[in-house]
Amino acid sequence: MAKQKRKLKGIEKCPTGVKGLDEITEGGLPRGRPTLVCGSAGCGKTLLAMEFVVRGIQQYNEPGVFMAFEENADELATNVESLDMDVRQLVKKNKMAIDYVHIERSEIEETGEYNLEGLFIRLESMIDQVKAKRVVLDTIEALFAGLPNEAILRAELRRLFRWLKSKGVTAIVTGEKGEKSLTRHGLEEYVSDCVIYLDHRIINQVATRRLRIIKYRGSHHGTNEYPTMIDETGLSVLPISSLGLDYSVTNERISTGIDELDAMMEGKGFFRGSSILLSGTAGTGKSSIAAAFASSTCRNGEKCLYFSFEESPNQIIRNMSSIGIDLNKWVKKGLLKYHSSRPTLMGLEAHLVKIHQKIEDFKPTSVIIDPITNLTSIGGQAEIKSMLTRVVDYIKTNKITGLFTSLTEAASASEQSEAGISSLMDTWILLRNTEVNGDRVRLLYILKSRGMAHSSKVRHFMLTNKGIKLLEAAE
Amino acid sequence: MEKKMDENNRRMSSIERDLIKKSKEADKSKQFVLRLYIAGMTAQSSKAIKNITQICEDNLKGRYDLQIIDIYQQPALAKGEQIIAAPTLIKKLPLPLRKFIGNMANKEKILVGLDIQPKD
């Protein structure tokens, strides 16, 4: 990935192992310092903290300590079991130590001055026991509910964070979001080196997770809100920071899969790594052209990833075989892969993360998204545009050719692409239906194609059982 | 009329006095098991030791078992007993379990918390 890495001297980073987070923070959390992770209930604070410890052990061989104030060790272990994190095993191997600090307010009576040395001793004995490099306190604010004397508590927290620094451990401290401040009890006052904010909101009945780095003392970092997702592999953050308009381009051309369409583009087809928009009203053959392109990619021995938001893979394969395009053999060869899901299954951001993950796993040379307009059911125009911009930037950076289909409403102008993303596209092919002498005919023309002398003819477009045919204009 | 009320009062208080007497007798038979957890011999630690010893000697003479434990020496105990603050006094017996944190300077609070009547 063409990415600028600017590391400032002086701050050493501790990689979290959480997908994407290390890219946004340009290397990880500040080593040897505490980081505050805050957010409302259910935003994934504990998971982020747990991943920090578990991935730290698994990937960087840095043992960790998890001090929980809300859940006991057993509950914690069970909660992350489904995310491929075997906490019990790590504890058994003495790589990880968990302590559950339980404070029962009704049992405790204050009788004069005290300090929190008990907490320090417990933490220290665990750190020494596993030789921990990473420490999590989740969430230390529970102390405020358990201990009535806030003055002592605040002084002790200040001492605790100083002590953690002196121990040289990289720590994550979690905190519940407060009404006016970042955390309910103003932890940000003590942990000021790095603050990460997790957000979980509902837009159009769909849950959307976001992550933002509010502050990172002494380091450059991404400042946006980044889409985040929790799935079976844990938490992942989508680093958009690594994208931009600085991708390299090639002059290499690839076939569209339709000879006549290639001919309309100087006889060579699309540029590799370009983005193509296919738009048209219902039944104009958008998916068929997409299938022809997929088939052509696979014929060259390259991989194609097909995101379908409307039809199931089997249905596409059946339908395309009726016009002489055999997609099944490419699926069997492992060159063509489908990913079908309803747009409403998850939020836009989650789709975006999913698309990224699938592309990263499969490493295709072309990607088809059919159709992008279906996403309007889960997001506004501006959101879809920003999401597609990220997809386009991402695939272009990786020199992947992207083909997007877009359904135009019958009533709207055919040159108005619904998601408003035509400006992102290098090539725009328009399809439409028209009636000639009582027959409905399909027409195809290239509205634009950057960097090539494309034909400006309107062509007659036919779907036959031997494939797609383009004829001279009928009019 | 007034006389009757007075008599009533007297009878009530005699019942009450009886109850208090009985409960004090019961109290005296109770054995107290106390554990004081300290973190090193700090000024607070010695204050706490002094204070709690005084309270026990004054009110629970002969029927208490007070142990002082330094959690620096036995960190595992801090975990097992859920100790976060130092000094912490735990009343293990009689039930219910109670915890007192601080240098044990607030005598009244401790007596109420230990559920013992101060010696009059």
mmCIF file with all atom_site columns, all heavy atoms in Angstrom, chain A residues 420-431:
data_model
loop_
_atom_site.group_PDB
_atom_site.id
_atom_site.type_symbol
_atom_site.label_atom_id
_atom_site.label_alt_id
_atom_site.label_comp_id
_atom_site.label_asym_id
_atom_site.label_entity_id
_atom_site.label_seq_id
_atom_site.pdbx_PDB_ins_code
_atom_site.Cartn_x
_atom_site.Cartn_y
_atom_site.Cartn_z
_atom_site.occupancy
_atom_site.B_iso_or_equiv
_atom_site.pdbx_formal_charge
_atom_site.auth_seq_id
_atom_site.auth_comp_id
_atom_site.auth_asym_id
_atom_site.auth_atom_id
_atom_site.pdbx_PDB_model_num
ATOM 1  N N   . GLY A 1 420 ? -24.919 9.398  -7.053  1.00 0.00 ? 420 GLY A N   1
ATOM 2  C CA  . GLY A 1 420 ? -24.154 10.630 -7.234  1.00 0.00 ? 420 GLY A CA  1
ATOM 3  C C   . GLY A 1 420 ? -22.661 10.391 -7.252  1.00 0.00 ? 420 GLY A C   1
ATOM 4  O O   . GLY A 1 420 ? -21.874 11.193 -6.774  1.00 0.00 ? 420 GLY A O   1
ATOM 5  N N   . ILE A 1 421 ? -22.266 9.282  -7.818  1.00 0.00 ? 421 ILE A N   1
ATOM 6  C CA  . ILE A 1 421 ? -20.845 8.961  -7.745  1.00 0.00 ? 421 ILE A CA  1
ATOM 7  C C   . ILE A 1 421 ? -20.195 8.965  -9.119  1.00 0.00 ? 421 ILE A C   1
ATOM 8  O O   . ILE A 1 421 ? -19.059 8.518  -9.268  1.00 0.00 ? 421 ILE A O   1
ATOM 9  C CB  . ILE A 1 421 ? -20.621 7.576  -7.110  1.00 0.00 ? 421 ILE A CB  1
ATOM 10 C CG1 . ILE A 1 421 ? -21.356 6.507  -7.899  1.00 0.00 ? 421 ILE A CG1 1
ATOM 11 C CG2 . ILE A 1 421 ? -21.059 7.567  -5.680  1.00 0.00 ? 421 ILE A CG2 1
ATOM 12 C CD1 . ILE A 1 421 ? -20.673 5.169  -7.802  1.00 0.00 ? 421 ILE A CD1 1
ATOM 13 N N   . SER A 1 422 ? -20.923 9.464  -10.137 1.00 0.00 ? 422 SER A N   1
ATOM 14 C CA  . SER A 1 422 ? -20.375 9.371  -11.493 1.00 0.00 ? 422 SER A CA  1
ATOM 15 C C   . SER A 1 422 ? -19.010 10.048 -11.598 1.00 0.00 ? 422 SER A C   1
ATOM 16 O O   . SER A 1 422 ? -18.159 9.610  -12.358 1.00 0.00 ? 422 SER A O   1
ATOM 17 C CB  . SER A 1 422 ? -21.345 9.975  -12.491 1.00 0.00 ? 422 SER A CB  1
ATOM 18 O OG  . SER A 1 422 ? -21.689 11.267 -12.067 1.00 0.00 ? 422 SER A OG  1
ATOM 19 N N   . SER A 1 423 ? -18.806 11.090 -10.785 1.00 0.00 ? 423 SER A N   1
ATOM 20 C CA  . SER A 1 423 ? -17.527 11.794 -10.904 1.00 0.00 ? 423 SER A CA  1
ATOM 21 C C   . SER A 1 423 ? -16.362 10.954 -10.412 1.00 0.00 ? 423 SER A C   1
ATOM 22 O O   . SER A 1 423 ? -15.213 11.220 -10.731 1.00 0.00 ? 423 SER A O   1
ATOM 23 C CB  . SER A 1 423 ? -17.587 13.106 -10.137 1.00 0.00 ? 423 SER A CB  1
ATOM 24 O OG  . SER A 1 423 ? -17.814 12.839 -8.779  1.00 0.00 ? 423 SER A OG  1
ATOM 25 N N   . LEU A 1 424 ? -16.669 9.929  -9.614  1.00 0.00 ? 424 LEU A N   1
ATOM 26 C CA  . LEU A 1 424 ? -15.609 9.055  -9.120  1.00 0.00 ? 424 LEU A CA  1
ATOM 27 C C   . LEU A 1 424 ? -15.162 8.066  -10.181 1.00 0.00 ? 424 LEU A C   1
ATOM 28 O O   . LEU A 1 424 ? -14.135 7.423  -10.049 1.00 0.00 ? 424 LEU A O   1
ATOM 29 C CB  . LEU A 1 424 ? -16.112 8.243  -7.930  1.00 0.00 ? 424 LEU A CB  1
ATOM 30 C CG  . LEU A 1 424 ? -16.388 8.936  -6.628  1.00 0.00 ? 424 LEU A CG  1
ATOM 31 C CD1 . LEU A 1 424 ? -17.058 7.976  -5.686  1.00 0.00 ? 424 LEU A CD1 1
ATOM 32 C CD2 . LEU A 1 424 ? -15.073 9.427  -6.056  1.00 0.00 ? 424 LEU A CD2 1
ATOM 33 N N   . MET A 1 425 ? -16.001 7.915  -11.199 1.00 0.00 ? 425 MET A N   1
ATOM 34 C CA  . MET A 1 425 ? -15.805 6.823  -12.140 1.00 0.00 ? 425 MET A CA  1
ATOM 35 C C   . MET A 1 425 ? -14.976 7.262  -13.333 1.00 0.00 ? 425 MET A C   1
ATOM 36 O O   . MET A 1 425 ? -15.101 8.382  -13.814 1.00 0.00 ? 425 MET A O   1
ATOM 37 C CB  . MET A 1 425 ? -17.163 6.324  -12.619 1.00 0.00 ? 425 MET A CB  1
ATOM 38 C CG  . MET A 1 425 ? -18.006 5.764  -11.499 1.00 0.00 ? 425 MET A CG  1
ATOM 39 S SD  . MET A 1 425 ? -17.220 4.306  -10.796 1.00 0.00 ? 425 MET A SD  1
ATOM 40 C CE  . MET A 1 425 ? -18.133 4.135  -9.290  1.00 0.00 ? 425 MET A CE  1
ATOM 41 N N   . ASP A 1 426 ? -14.151 6.332  -13.801 1.00 0.00 ? 426 ASP A N   1
ATOM 42 C CA  . ASP A 1 426 ? -13.347 6.644  -14.978 1.00 0.00 ? 426 ASP A CA  1
ATOM 43 C C   . ASP A 1 426 ? -14.127 6.375  -16.246 1.00 0.00 ? 426 ASP A C   1
ATOM 44 O O   . ASP A 1 426 ? -13.966 7.071  -17.238 1.00 0.00 ? 426 ASP A O   1
ATOM 45 C CB  . ASP A 1 426 ? -12.079 5.784  -14.969 1.00 0.00 ? 426 ASP A CB  1
ATOM 46 C CG  . ASP A 1 426 ? -11.233 6.072  -13.744 1.00 0.00 ? 426 ASP A CG  1
ATOM 47 O OD1 . ASP A 1 426 ? -11.089 7.254  -13.417 1.00 0.00 ? 426 ASP A OD1 1
ATOM 48 O OD2 . ASP A 1 426 ? -10.754 5.117  -13.123 1.00 0.00 ? 426 ASP A OD2 1
ATOM 49 N N   . THR A 1 427 ? -14.922 5.332  -16.201 1.00 0.00 ? 427 THR A N   1
ATOM 50 C CA  . THR A 1 427 ? -15.701 4.975  -17.380 1.00 0.00 ? 427 THR A CA  1
ATOM 51 C C   . THR A 1 427 ? -17.155 4.868  -16.971 1.00 0.00 ? 427 THR A C   1
ATOM 52 O O   . THR A 1 427 ? -17.466 4.328  -15.911 1.00 0.00 ? 427 THR A O   1
ATOM 53 C CB  . THR A 1 427 ? -15.219 3.618  -17.948 1.00 0.00 ? 427 THR A CB  1
ATOM 54 O OG1 . THR A 1 427 ? -13.843 3.719  -18.253 1.00 0.00 ? 427 THR A OG1 1
ATOM 55 C CG2 . THR A 1 427 ? -15.995 3.225  -19.180 1.00 0.00 ? 427 THR A CG2 1
ATOM 56 N N   . TRP A 1 428 ? -18.013 5.389  -17.798 1.00 0.00 ? 428 TRP A N   1
ATOM 57 C CA  . TRP A 1 428 ? -19.442 5.327  -17.471 1.00 0.00 ? 428 TRP A CA  1
ATOM 58 C C   . TRP A 1 428 ? -20.190 4.819  -18.700 1.00 0.00 ? 428 TRP A C   1
ATOM 59 O O   . TRP A 1 428 ? -20.222 5.477  -19.738 1.00 0.00 ? 428 TRP A O   1
ATOM 60 C CB  . TRP A 1 428 ? -19.948 6.709  -17.048 1.00 0.00 ? 428 TRP A CB  1
ATOM 61 C CG  . TRP A 1 428 ? -21.372 6.720  -16.578 1.00 0.00 ? 428 TRP A CG  1
ATOM 62 C CD1 . TRP A 1 428 ? -22.220 5.662  -16.498 1.00 0.00 ? 428 TRP A CD1 1
ATOM 63 C CD2 . TRP A 1 428 ? -22.110 7.850  -16.125 1.00 0.00 ? 428 TRP A CD2 1
ATOM 64 N NE1 . TRP A 1 428 ? -23.432 6.050  -16.009 1.00 0.00 ? 428 TRP A NE1 1
ATOM 65 C CE2 . TRP A 1 428 ? -23.391 7.397  -15.768 1.00 0.00 ? 428 TRP A CE2 1
ATOM 66 C CE3 . TRP A 1 428 ? -21.817 9.203  -15.974 1.00 0.00 ? 428 TRP A CE3 1
ATOM 67 C CZ2 . TRP A 1 428 ? -24.386 8.245  -15.288 1.00 0.00 ? 428 TRP A CZ2 1
ATOM 68 C CZ3 . TRP A 1 428 ? -22.791 10.050 -15.493 1.00 0.00 ? 428 TRP A CZ3 1
ATOM 69 C CH2 . TRP A 1 428 ? -24.070 9.576  -15.146 1.00 0.00 ? 428 TRP A CH2 1
ATOM 70 N N   . ILE A 1 429 ? -20.752 3.658  -18.566 1.00 0.00 ? 429 ILE A N   1
ATOM 71 C CA  . ILE A 1 429 ? -21.523 3.066  -19.658 1.00 0.00 ? 429 ILE A CA  1
ATOM 72 C C   . ILE A 1 429 ? -23.001 3.147  -19.308 1.00 0.00 ? 429 ILE A C   1
ATOM 73 O O   . ILE A 1 429 ? -23.408 2.747  -18.218 1.00 0.00 ? 429 ILE A O   1
ATOM 74 C CB  . ILE A 1 429 ? -21.109 1.591  -19.888 1.00 0.00 ? 429 ILE A CB  1
ATOM 75 C CG1 . ILE A 1 429 ? -19.628 1.533  -20.257 1.00 0.00 ? 429 ILE A CG1 1
ATOM 76 C CG2 . ILE A 1 429 ? -21.958 0.950  -20.962 1.00 0.00 ? 429 ILE A CG2 1
ATOM 77 C CD1 . ILE A 1 429 ? -19.066 0.144  -20.296 1.00 0.00 ? 429 ILE A CD1 1
ATOM 78 N N   . LEU A 1 430 ? -23.765 3.686  -20.220 1.00 0.00 ? 430 LEU A N   1
ATOM 79 C CA  . LEU A 1 430 ? -25.201 3.849  -19.991 1.00 0.00 ? 430 LEU A CA  1
ATOM 80 C C   . LEU A 1 430 ? -25.994 2.843  -20.802 1.00 0.00 ? 430 LEU A C   1
ATOM 81 O O   . LEU A 1 430 ? -25.697 2.578  -21.961 1.00 0.00 ? 430 LEU A O   1
ATOM 82 C CB  . LEU A 1 430 ? -25.614 5.252  -20.406 1.00 0.00 ? 430 LEU A CB  1
ATOM 83 C CG  . LEU A 1 430 ? -25.919 6.182  -19.235 1.00 0.00 ? 430 LEU A CG  1
ATOM 84 C CD1 . LEU A 1 430 ? -25.739 7.602  -19.621 1.00 0.00 ? 430 LEU A CD1 1
ATOM 85 C CD2 . LEU A 1 430 ? -27.340 5.928  -18.773 1.00 0.00 ? 430 LEU A CD2 1
ATOM 86 N N   . LEU A 1 431 ? -26.975 2.294  -20.161 1.00 0.00 ? 431 LEU A N   1
ATOM 87 C CA  . LEU A 1 431 ? -27.852 1.333  -20.831 1.00 0.00 ? 431 LEU A CA  1
ATOM 88 C C   . LEU A 1 431 ? -29.267 1.862  -20.744 1.00 0.00 ? 431 LEU A C   1
ATOM 89 O O   . LEU A 1 431 ? -29.651 2.415  -19.713 1.00 0.00 ? 431 LEU A O   1
ATOM 90 C CB  . LEU A 1 431 ? -27.791 -0.008 -20.104 1.00 0.00 ? 431 LEU A CB  1
ATOM 91 C CG  . LEU A 1 431 ? -26.430 -0.684 -20.075 1.00 0.00 ? 431 LEU A CG  1
ATOM 92 C CD1 . LEU A 1 431 ? -26.401 -1.738 -18.997 1.00 0.00 ? 431 LEU A CD1 1
ATOM 93 C CD2 . LEU A 1 431 ? -26.120 -1.290 -21.420 1.00 0.00 ? 431 LEU A CD2 1
#
